[in-house]
Amino acid sequence: MGDKGNPSPRLGEKLAVPKRILLGPGPSQVDPQVLEAMACPLVGHLDPFFLQLMDEIQESLRYVFQTRNPLTLPVSGTGTAAMETAVVNMVEPGDRILVCVNGYFGSRIAQMAVRHGGDVRTLERRWGEVFTPEEIQEAVQAFSPKVVAIVQAETSTGALQPIEDIPPIVHAAGGILIVDAVTSLGGVPVRVDEWDLDVCYSGTQKCLGCPPGLGPITFGPRAEQVLRQRKVPVSSFYFDVSLLPKYWGEERLYHHTAPITANYALREGLRIVVEEGLENRWRRHRRNAERLWDGLEALGLQCHVEKPNRLPTLTTVVVPPGVDELQVRRRLLEEYAIEIAGGLGELKGKVWRIGLMGYSSSEENVDLLLEALKKLLK
Ligand SMILES: *Cc1c(COP(=O)(O)O)cnc(C)c1O
């Protein structure tokens, strides 16, 4: 009908997706109960049922973030959208921001801050290392930033940054701290109130066991103060957190159409987190990571990050000399339906990245992967 020369695309059969075991840096596997929730019919984004669901999501997000912050909500978009929300709301043109860069995602925050007009300075470390409070203190004293940003779980390197000692340093100098918890929230301890974090954000497809699509974020009292004291409006309409609470709060004012299905998924994913219990979930992630690390060692493989700084949710493994890393990944996928990832940036070609996040973090998956690696590396 009516197509003047455009051949109609031939999609053939109905969509059929291959089964995969997702052990890469995200997306992780999704709990079948979450998939079921996503198949529910749509309601309107102002339907009383949906408004109630939004309240439930906010309440459960406060639990996973361990915070009482009123301004806690899922940004419509992936983890990067939450990152951009943090940066664009906290940084005005000309504001000083210190970004700690020891991997790909720290560098992404710095690039974003530049685009939003920030006066950006970076503190750098080799990929796989973490920052000491002393060097952060020194950099804060030298630069007096309004904002400091740091990644808790560097998915590109497999390093876990200790956070607790950093907020007092930043606050003593009158600054606020943004923490990227994309690969830590729901997998390793994140305690927003106890640690006194000002802005903390995440994504749904890593340790929360949901598909990609939402970026949970929370703003503490100091961050709210920064919002109130802004001199120029946030340059992004979509990510302006002075507008978002009008929809997520009492007023229920239309801002953009919430991705209904993604919110169903998050609600169900959070229900599962609550059911398991956060502490149990952290313990499960650590237990399965240790099982993986022991198994890798038994195969003669070496982890890129030293044990005390190793991230339970993502492990970087050094590719042994003489092994074609891409070939191993290809065979894992083709012969075992297991996805792992290669290195990024500085670590490209040098490591494999193995994620054990959310629903993917199970003894069974660890054993399947170790067994497959054993055969492939023989
Ligand atoms: C995955 C990730 C992001 C970006 O999230 P997307 O969902 O890919 O947009 C940001 N920070 C870290 C540490 C991540 O692992």
Side-chain angles (χ1 to χ4, degrees):
M1 273 192 340
D3 56 3
K4 299 224 162 60
N6 262 18
S8 55
R10 276 177 224 291
L11 296 178
E13 299 289 309
K14 222 173 87 173
L15 176 71
V17 179
K19 276 218 169 76
R20 302 285 193 228
I21 299 168
L22 298 178
L23 302 181
S28 60
Q29 275 171 289
V30 170
D31 192 304
Q33 297 177 96
V34 171
L35 291 178
E36 244 175 70
M38 292 174 74
C40 292
L42 293 198
V43 297
H45 70 109
L46 293 171
D47 190 292
F49 170 82
F50 193 72
L51 299 180
Q52 159 91 27
L53 182 134
M54 290 165 73
D55 288 344
E56 290 167 353
I57 285 177
Q58 287 188 284
E59 196 189 319
S60 320
L61 283 181
R62 289 187 192 105
Y63 167 71
V64 293
F65 275 122
Q66 296 280 285
T67 184
R68 290 178 197 281
N69 290 340
L71 188 47
T72 303
L73 50 82
V75 173
S76 303
T78 63
T80 306
M83 182 191 283
E84 195 129 30
T85 302
V87 172
V88 77
N89 282 277
M90 291 297 109
V91 179
E92 293 190 58
D95 281 350
R96 287 185 177 188
I97 171 169
L98 174 73
V99 186
C100 303
V101 179
N102 57 350
Y104 181 87
F105 290 103
S107 156
R108 176 174 291 188
I109 299 174
Q111 289 169 38
M112 260 181 201
V114 168
R115 284 176 185 239
H116 294 301
D119 176 2
V120 182
R121 184 167 298 182
T122 57
L123 180 64
E124 317 230 351
R125 268 276 188 180
R126 306 259 334 249
W127 286 35
E129 297 176 351
V130 297
F131 296 92
T132 64
E134 291 73 29
E135 62 198 340
I136 291 174
Q137 172 133 40
E138 212 171 286
V140 164
Q141 271 163 1
F143 187 49
S144 298
K146 172 183 165 191
V147 179
V148 175
I150 196 161
V151 177
Q152 184 187 14
E154 224 342 314
T155 322
S156 62
T157 70
L160 175 62
Q161 171 69 48
I163 294 293
E164 279 175 86
D165 293 336
I166 301 171
I169 295 169
V170 176
H171 296 152
I176 60 144
L177 180 65
I178 298 177
V179 174
D180 177 313
V182 177
T183 297
S184 40
L185 192 73
V188 300
V190 178
R191 304 179 190 274
V192 169
D193 284 3
E194 194 183 313
W195 296 348
D196 207 3
L197 311 183
D198 302 302
V199 183
C200 185
Y201 62 84
S202 191
T204 43
Q205 80 276 24
K206 310 238 171 143
C207 304
L208 294 175
C210 297
L214 293 173
I217 191 165
T218 184
F219 292 84
R222 282 186 208 85
E224 289 226 39
Q225 171 115 353
V226 166
L227 285 174
R228 282 193 298 272
Q229 291 173 343
R230 283 189 65 102
K231 291 181 224 61
V232 296
V234 174
S235 61
S236 162
F237 179 89
Y238 199 68
F239 296 139
D240 184 344
V241 286
S242 68
L243 302 176
L244 288 173
K246 298 199 166 122
Y247 175 49
W248 283 86
E250 294 284 301
E251 286 178 68
R252 302 298 183 185
L253 203 64
Y254 166 72
H255 176 264
H256 66 274
T257 310
I260 306 292
T261 304
N263 279 285
Y264 290 170
L266 179 56
R267 197 266 188 204
E268 182 60 12
L270 290 169
R271 190 192 63 76
I272 292 166
V273 175
V274 173
E275 189 178 68
E276 179 174 11
L278 211 40
E279 306 253 347
N280 289 337
R281 201 173 170 92
W282 297 336
R283 272 196 288 273
R284 168 167 63 85
H285 279 84
R286 176 149 291 277
R287 196 172 56 238
N288 290 326
E290 281 175 357
R291 188 179 184 90
L292 174 69
W293 300 339
D294 291 347
L296 291 169
E297 201 179 319
L299 292 178
L301 292 167
Q302 217 189 335
C303 291
H304 174 67
V305 177
E306 288 182 46
K307 205 155 187 186
N309 300 331
R310 224 178 265 166
L311 181 59
T313 53
L314 189 120
T315 299
T316 39
V317 187
V318 179
V319 177
V323 170
D324 179 345
E325 76 89 12
L326 186 61
Q327 173 77 356
V328 171
R329 280 193 284 137
R330 217 175 260 151
R331 289 190 63 191
L332 271 176
L333 192 66
E334 282 167 10
E335 295 167 33
Y336 298 89
I338 296 174
E339 179 188 272
I340 65 167
L344 273 181
E346 232 176 74
L347 296 175
K348 195 170 160 58
K350 295 184 184 153
V351 298
W352 289 302
R353 290 185 300 150
I354 302 171
L356 291 174
M357 306 178 188
Y359 190 71
S360 289
S361 168
S362 69
E363 261 181 36
E364 190 196 350
N365 282 348
V366 170
D367 295 349
L368 281 172
L369 175 64
L370 288 171
E371 202 49 45
L373 280 176
K374 189 173 172 183
K375 291 194 181 121
L376 291 179
L377 292 174
K378 218 184 244 164

